[in-house]
């Protein structure tokens, strides 16, 4: 099975056991610039699961490289023991480990004290996304940074790492030098391609001089930056050719941190097809003599195998695939059907990163919690009979964890199909893959031995007849209808639109309270169905609650469809033809006139009927997920794990 994927490969002096790479990704698990036990446990879990190569998240090479408040720094020898613990833990499981050497130039998101940064860049050209105006580098500054790359590489080598990757991708400092729209210099670093590549070349040469021939040195580069001021792909290819003698591998991805449209590709959401960057990987593969890694939504071994077998690349980055299922490589060889495929929702991985929290996965909250919740998933010494009401994400995860621990679990779902709200979420445009969460969790519950009964609503009578030791209520939620006057208006809720039981036609106003997928997705669906759509959001912007790259992709899609977005709109009421809002900052009235239909995306109310009916029942009753209080699938699944390890 997957013969190319599981064949070894040499990256310069480093032999890697297979072609699967966990590419550099900031975990928000570093502390004070150093490796933590949590980070070691996180990567050890993936090494144990069979990955070939782990490229650890970016390490700053200079004080001015701090682009977030929670990154690793390789600028001092004091960092070496932490890196060494990481290397030992990863090597113990037969995987290889390399580090990313990083300077962001002007791409600075935040400082650690909330003040605006002093960013160093080739020229004083402002960054669009973070609104940073950098100061131009002098020769002395350039020399200092180049020396920083070299000494940082040497520290990784001293720690026992197998190699390093120069991050020249995503519009970071080396790419800023390369891009003539950003590099306006008229010295030896500006103008011709040769001059613009000088910095990266000096970095590669300084690193090699510092580490010698026995340490792998690679280069990460954006094949396509995907924005209007992007580096031309032809120049990228030419640059790769010129760098070929100086590095051991290339790593091709897409995107550019500098703009909203380019940044979407840093962690492409489910709107992009699996392996969409492979064609550019193929162009680089043809242009250079060194192995090429390609990364971008490769979430299953079948996809990776076909990219490798067709010669488009030599290795595949499968980063979120491994965040979601650290055992994916081992399962690919023994039980591929058991792989929990990443669905590209971006919610708990990059979504957490952008909010400054350690990364995890909505489908597998054990990720990032290797030392806490995951460590407590041990066999029970007192198996009990557990009845679960509700087959959405919360109920299914509880069933999987409890059955795996040895409890006797029966899950009852009132509907004919498992899934709860995920069944509706997958009907939103471009979000069909969200249904994968149910396929995966249902498979895990069944595999662990849970019994699943469909068309089986749970009542007090059923609980009394079954007499389980404990009941878990995961009955979810229903659409929330605010208490407002809507006389004469045509009002429908989000669920009815998605189920096709409403008739929204004509001029539609979507009133969006949560600022997430539902309001935006409905607006897109209705616009595609031919309605003229206005999206009124209660917050300051559309998609305020969404992971950034999902938000921006959805805003782009709405813009292309002509949907107008109206922020600061708090729903007040509706009548025939008009929807009334109050401006959520000024309190002034805002009118949406000439409206045929008001679509409510106003959140949910918990379904607590069973909890109320079971009042006084002598057994243990636990309420989790939206039945406890409405949130998202992430909290539902996490809560199920949290309960599952305590019973
Ligand atoms: C949480 C998170 C943090 C990331 N941080 C980095 C980073 O520090 N350096 C980098 O070059 N790429 C970073 N990336 C991008 C990944 O290396 C990778 O290119 C991206 O996840 C797409 O690959 P995938 O579809 O296999 O997940 C990050 C990705 C995620 C999910
Ligand atoms: S949170 Fe979503 S995108 Fe991130 S790893 Fe999990 S399934 Fe994939």
């Amino acid at each position: 099975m997957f013969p190319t994927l599981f064949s070894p490969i040499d990256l310069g002096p480093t032999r890697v056991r297979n072609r699967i790479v966990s590419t550099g990704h900031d975990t928000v698990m570093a502390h004070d610039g150093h490796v933590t036990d949590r980070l070691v446990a996180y990567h050890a879990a993936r090494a144990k699961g069979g990955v070939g190569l782990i490229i650890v998240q970016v390490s700053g090479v200079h004080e001015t490289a701090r682009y977030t408040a929670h990154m690793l720094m390789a600028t001092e020898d004091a960092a070496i023991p932490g890196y060494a613990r990481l290397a030992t833990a990863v090597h113990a499981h037969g995987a290889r480990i390399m580090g990313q050497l990083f300077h962001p130039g002007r791409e600075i998101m935040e400082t650690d004290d909330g003040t605006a940064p002093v960013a160093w860049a080739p020229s004083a050209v402002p960054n669009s996304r973070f609104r940073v105006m950098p100061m131009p580098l002098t020769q002395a500054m350039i020399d200092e940074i180049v020396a920083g790359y070299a000494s940082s590489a040497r520290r990784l080598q001293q720690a026992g790492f197998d190699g390093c990757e120069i991050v020249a991708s995503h519009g970071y400092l080396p790419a800023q030098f390369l891009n003539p729209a950003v590099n306006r210099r008229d010295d030896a670093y500006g103008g011709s391609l040769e001059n613009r590549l000088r910095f990266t070349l000096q970095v590669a040469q300084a690193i090699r001089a510092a580490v010698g021939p026995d340490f792998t040195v690679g280069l990460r580069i954006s094949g396509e930056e995907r924005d209007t001021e992007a580096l031309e792909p032809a120049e990228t290819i030419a640059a790769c050719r010129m760098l070929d003698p100086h590095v051991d591998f290339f790593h091709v991805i897409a995107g550019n941190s500098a703009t909203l449209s380019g940044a979407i590709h840093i962690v492409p959401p489910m709107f992009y097809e699996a392996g969409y960057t492979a064609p550019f990987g193929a162009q680089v593969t043809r242009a250079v003599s060194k192995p090429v890694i390609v990364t971008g939504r490769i979430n299953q071994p079948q996809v990776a195998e076909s990219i490798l077998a067709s010669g488009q690349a030599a290795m595949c980055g499968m980063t979120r695939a491994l965040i979601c299922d650290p055992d994916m490589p081992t399962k690919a060889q023994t039980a591929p059907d058991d792989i929990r495929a990443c669905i590209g929702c971006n919610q708990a991985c990059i979504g957490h990163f952008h909010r400054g929290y350690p990364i995890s996965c909505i489908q597998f909250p054990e990720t990032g919690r290797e030392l806490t919740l995951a460590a407590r998933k041990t066999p029970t010494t007192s198996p009990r009979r557990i009845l679960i009401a509700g087959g959405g994400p919360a109920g299914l995860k509880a069933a999987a964890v409890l059955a795996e621990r040895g409890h006797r679990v029966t899950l009852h779902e009132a509907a004919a199909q498992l899934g709860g709200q995920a069944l509706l979420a997958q009907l939103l445009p471009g979000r069909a893959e969200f249904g994968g969460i149910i396929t995966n969790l249902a498979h895990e519950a069944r595999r662990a031995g849970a019994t699943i009964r469909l068309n089986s609503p749970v009542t007090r009578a059923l609980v009394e007849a079954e007499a389980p030791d404990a009941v878990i209520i995961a009955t979810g939620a229903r659409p929330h209808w605010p208490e407002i006057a809507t006389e004469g208006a045509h009002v429908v809720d989000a669920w009815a639109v998605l189920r096709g039981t409403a008739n929204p036609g004509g001029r539609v106003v979507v009133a969006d309270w949560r600022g997430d997928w539902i309001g935006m997705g409905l607006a897109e669906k209705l616009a595609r169905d031919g309605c003229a759509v206005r999206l009124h959001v209660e917050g300051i912007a559309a998609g305020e609650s969404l992971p950034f790259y999902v938000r921006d992709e959805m805003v782009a899609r709405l813009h292309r469809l002509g949907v107008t977005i109206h922020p600061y709109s708090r729903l007040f009421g509706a009548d025939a033809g008009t929807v009334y809002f109050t401006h959520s900052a000024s309190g002034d009235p805002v009118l949406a006139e000439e409206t045929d239909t008001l679509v409510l995306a106003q959140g949910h109310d918990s379904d607590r009927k069973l909890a109320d009916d079971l009042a006084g029942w002598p057994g243990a009753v636990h309420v989790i997920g939206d039945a406890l209080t409405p949130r998202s699938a992430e909290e539902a699944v996490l809560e199920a794990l949290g309960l599952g390890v305590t019973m």
Side-chain angles (χ1 to χ4, degrees), residues 121-203:
S123 307
V125 175
N127 156 288
S128 155
R129 185 161 155 241
F130 306 124
R131 295 173 294 280
V132 168
M133 173 55 95
M135 60 184 288
L137 287 156
T138 62
Q139 183 64 54
M141 289 163 153
I142 291 175
D143 295 345
E144 213 180 294
I145 292 176
V146 171
Y149 275 97
S151 58
S152 298
R154 203 182 52 243
R155 288 187 189 100
L156 294 183
Q157 188 181 34
Q158 284 172 341
F161 274 47
D162 300 293
C164 66
E165 179 182 77
I166 302 164
V167 183
S169 55
H170 298 130
Y172 297 124
L173 184 59
Q176 287 161 37
F177 271 102
L178 203 50
N179 187 346
V182 183
N183 176 353
R184 317 296 301 169
R185 301 175 75 97
D186 54 13
D187 61 2
Y189 294 91
S192 66
L193 175 62
E194 211 170 31
N195 277 2
R196 285 181 277 120
L197 195 60
R198 189 176 308 281
F199 174 78
T200 310
L201 201 57
Q202 286 177 339
V203 165

Side-chain angles (χ1 to χ4, degrees), residues 169-384:
S169 55
H170 298 130
Y172 297 124
L173 184 59
Q176 287 161 37
F177 271 102
L178 203 50
N179 187 346
V182 183
N183 176 353
R184 317 296 301 169
R185 301 175 75 97
D186 54 13
D187 61 2
Y189 294 91
S192 66
L193 175 62
E194 211 170 31
N195 277 2
R196 285 181 277 120
L197 195 60
R198 189 176 308 281
F199 174 78
T200 310
L201 201 57
Q202 286 177 339
V203 165
Q205 286 168 335
I207 290 174
R208 183 57 76 204
V211 296
D214 299 331
F215 190 70
T216 298
V217 180
L219 184 100
R220 189 171 220 210
I221 195 148
S222 293
E224 296 162 279
E225 291 194 334
R226 301 213 177 198
D227 87 70
T228 44
E229 294 206 334
L231 194 56
E232 287 294 322
E235 289 217 304
T236 306
I237 301 270
C240 289
R241 266 204 201 96
M242 290 159 78
L243 290 165
D244 196 27
H246 303 279
V247 297
D248 298 311
F249 69 87
F250 290 90
H251 183 175
V252 175
I253 43 82
N256 182 346
S257 164
T259 57
L260 294 176
S261 63
I264 289 168
H265 298 276
I266 298 177
V267 189
M270 67 174 78
F271 301 104
Y272 291 88
E273 64 172 333
Y276 76 109
T277 53
F280 200 84
Q283 286 187 47
V284 178
T285 297
R286 283 194 292 274
V288 299
S289 67
K290 304 292 166 54
V292 172
I293 306 173
V294 72
T295 299
R297 281 274 285 139
I298 304 171
N299 66 342
Q300 285 277 30
Q302 293 84 338
V303 181
E305 179 68 23
S306 101
I307 290 171
L308 299 175
S310 64
Q312 290 175 297
M315 297 182 88
C316 285
M318 301 185 74
T319 304
R320 281 170 295 170
L322 289 155
I323 293 175
C324 184
D325 193 341
D327 296 322
M328 179 273 293
T330 302
K331 288 181 184 172
Q333 292 168 288
T334 56
D337 290 347
D338 290 349
I339 292 173
R340 183 186 311 107
C342 164
I343 55 176
C345 68
N346 277 9
Q347 200 171 333
C349 49
I350 193 70
H352 277 207
F353 164 83
H354 278 133
R355 285 183 284 134
Y357 300 111
I359 65 164
S360 186
C361 175
I362 66 161
Q363 301 192 69
F364 190 64
E366 288 88 334
T367 286
R369 298 182 176 96
E370 283 78 9
L371 295 176
T372 52
L373 288 179
R376 293 169 65 193
K377 238 172 54 171
T378 50
T380 178
T381 49
S382 51
R384 288 190 280 166

